[in-house]
Amino acid sequence: MKKLIKIAAILILISGNLFAQKYITKNGKISFYSDGEVEKIQATNNQVNAALDTTTGDIVFKVLIKSFEFEKALMQEHFNDNYLESDLFPNSTFKGKVTNIITMSFNKNATFSAVITGDLTIHGITKNVTEKGTFEIKDGKIIGTSKFNVTLSDYGVKIPSVVSKNIAQTVLVNVNVSLEPVK
Amino acid sequence: MKNWIKIVLILIGVAAITALIVYKFYINKPHKDIEKADADFTVKTENLYKEYTSNKTHSDSLYNGKVIEISGKIDKVETTDSLVILVAVFSQDDFGDAGIRCTMLPIKMMLKKLLPEL
């Protein structure tokens, strides 16, 4: 009996590996929202690279800072030149793991809460973070969403006191990626 | 009121209004209209890809913030709920097909919706 369970366990493991699948996108969306005292600022990036390995739970994001689009051209210029210094630090990345990936199955439509932990790099500074998100499995795709706060000073982004009322110290980041299986 | 005080006050007023207009224009300056802009460079997709993969720093210094007109073979068209992206694929990276990606302007998206065969 024990042997049988072992074999069954091994079979399950093997079949799990057989269905090992990487899901990717290059058209993910990340936006952020700054609720300053004087003005609200929002920017969106529609060219986010993301990859998820559903067997290991490895998850990676790569974002080109210059691809964030603002309503006002001047905001975009200041964001790139003065605050994020996108010529020096062109990319922002996240490399981490979905710690509860084992509780999810990706072969039928369902929604799972995800806990994701890893290294977030913004403006050349890396911090270990843990955030919550959702994976919605829909017709073979995984729609990953998450909302979390980023405190600018944690990543060495300095806001001059002249505009401190225009820009919030903590911005709300909104992630929405539609990941497709690698064929 | 003495005449010279009047003149000074008017001048201050005019200066203040001018400053305000210039400031308003400055903070609301429009995004570059890529569609109407003249191209700073005209490049073939495969050459642009080659240049970036062989010397990224040099290519960045050349092309960053510039308008580039590109031509070449489109390998696939990707769509999201709001965007149409034309892709020329040259290799593979961690996130799938790597190459030149052109996100179309909204007017092109509308055309695409009206005439899906395009």
Side-chain angles (χ1 to χ4, degrees):
Chain A
M1 187 62 189
K2 261 188 185 172
K3 215 175 191 177
L4 206 67
I5 293 172
K6 256 188 198 166
I7 291 169
I10 289 166
L11 277 177
I12 289 167
L13 279 176
I14 291 171
S15 66
N17 276 329
L18 277 177
F19 293 114
Q21 185 93 70
K22 207 176 154 192
Y23 289 78
I24 53 166
T25 186
K26 278 180 181 279
N27 305 320
K29 187 167 157 182
I30 291 182
S31 59
F32 66 81
Y33 180 64
S34 152
D35 190 2
E37 270 181 59
V38 178
E39 61 183 341
K40 323 267 174 243
I41 300 168
Q42 192 173 1
T44 306
N45 188 329
N46 288 303
Q47 298 164 26
V48 173
N49 289 309
L52 169 71
D53 186 323
T54 51
T55 20
T56 60
D58 286 326
I59 187 162
V60 186
F61 286 87
K62 191 176 174 196
V63 180
L64 193 65
I65 295 299
K66 275 200 163 71
S67 301
F68 276 99
E69 289 173 14
F70 289 69
E71 184 200 336
K72 288 181 181 167
L74 191 70
M75 284 177 180
Q76 196 163 322
E77 223 174 274
H78 287 169
F79 170 78
N80 280 298
D81 297 351
N82 306 343
Y83 305 143
L84 269 285
E85 300 175 274
S86 58
D87 281 334
L88 279 174
F89 311 108
N91 295 305
S92 186
T93 56
F94 177 82
K95 273 184 194 152
K97 264 191 190 292
V98 182
T99 53
N100 60 339
I101 195 99
I102 202 139
T103 64
M104 303 173 194
S105 64
F106 295 89
N107 44 16
K108 58 171 191 270
N109 290 0
T111 304
F112 301 101
S113 301
V115 180
I116 299 161
T117 185
D119 293 328
L120 177 61
T121 305
I122 303 172
H123 193 233
I125 293 177
T126 304
K127 298 263 175 195
N128 193 267
V129 296
T130 299
E131 303 294 350
K132 284 183 186 131
T134 305
F135 286 139
E136 188 194 345
I137 292 99
K138 203 178 167 190
D139 308 329
K141 287 183 190 175
I142 302 173
I143 298 155
T145 53
S146 180
K147 275 182 190 176
F148 57 91
N149 286 310
V150 168
T151 302
L152 301 181
S153 56
D154 286 353
Y155 297 92
V157 178
K158 290 188 194 89
I159 306 298
S161 53
V162 197
V163 289
S164 65
K165 283 193 174 166
N166 299 63
I167 301 166
Q169 283 307 305
T170 296
V171 299
L172 177 67
V173 177
N174 209 326
V175 182
N176 189 324
V177 290
S178 175
L179 300 156
E180 290 184 33
V182 178
K183 277 156 208 145
Chain B
M1 209 186 275
K2 276 180 185 162
N3 260 347
W4 67 270
I5 297 183
K6 267 189 197 162
I7 291 169
V8 168
L9 281 178
I10 290 167
L11 280 179
I12 290 172
V14 168
I17 291 166
T18 315
L20 197 73
I21 291 169
V22 170
Y23 179 71
K24 277 279 170 204
F25 182 76
Y26 171 70
I27 63 167
N28 290 311
K29 70 171 182 171
H31 285 276
K32 202 175 206 170
D33 188 343
I34 305 284
E35 212 163 11
K36 283 183 190 152
D38 287 324
D40 299 302
F41 296 95
T42 304
V43 199
K44 277 200 178 339
T45 46
E46 56 262 43
N47 293 344
L48 188 64
Y49 185 78
K50 251 184 240 160
E51 283 180 49
Y52 262 93
T53 39
S54 63
N55 192 343
K56 189 178 178 301
T57 326
H58 177 72
S59 304
D60 273 342
S61 67
L62 209 60
Y63 297 122
N64 261 359
K66 296 283 180 356
V67 179
I68 314 171
E69 191 177 308
I70 56 173
S71 60
K73 187 174 140 260
I74 301 298
D75 293 299
K76 62 175 190 172
V77 178
E78 292 180 10
T79 50
T80 70
D81 11 320
S82 59
L83 297 171
V84 175
I85 305 117
L86 307 183
V87 192
V89 182
F90 292 104
S91 70
Q92 296 292 311
D93 68 12
D94 293 344
F95 305 99
D97 296 328
I100 312 283
R101 305 173 64 81
C102 298
T103 306
M104 293 293 103
L105 290 167
I107 182 78
K108 302 276 165 33
M109 285 149 53
M110 279 154 62
L111 268 178
K112 171 94 189 162
K113 272 181 199 159
L114 290 170
L115 304 159
E117 66 272 20
L118 273 181

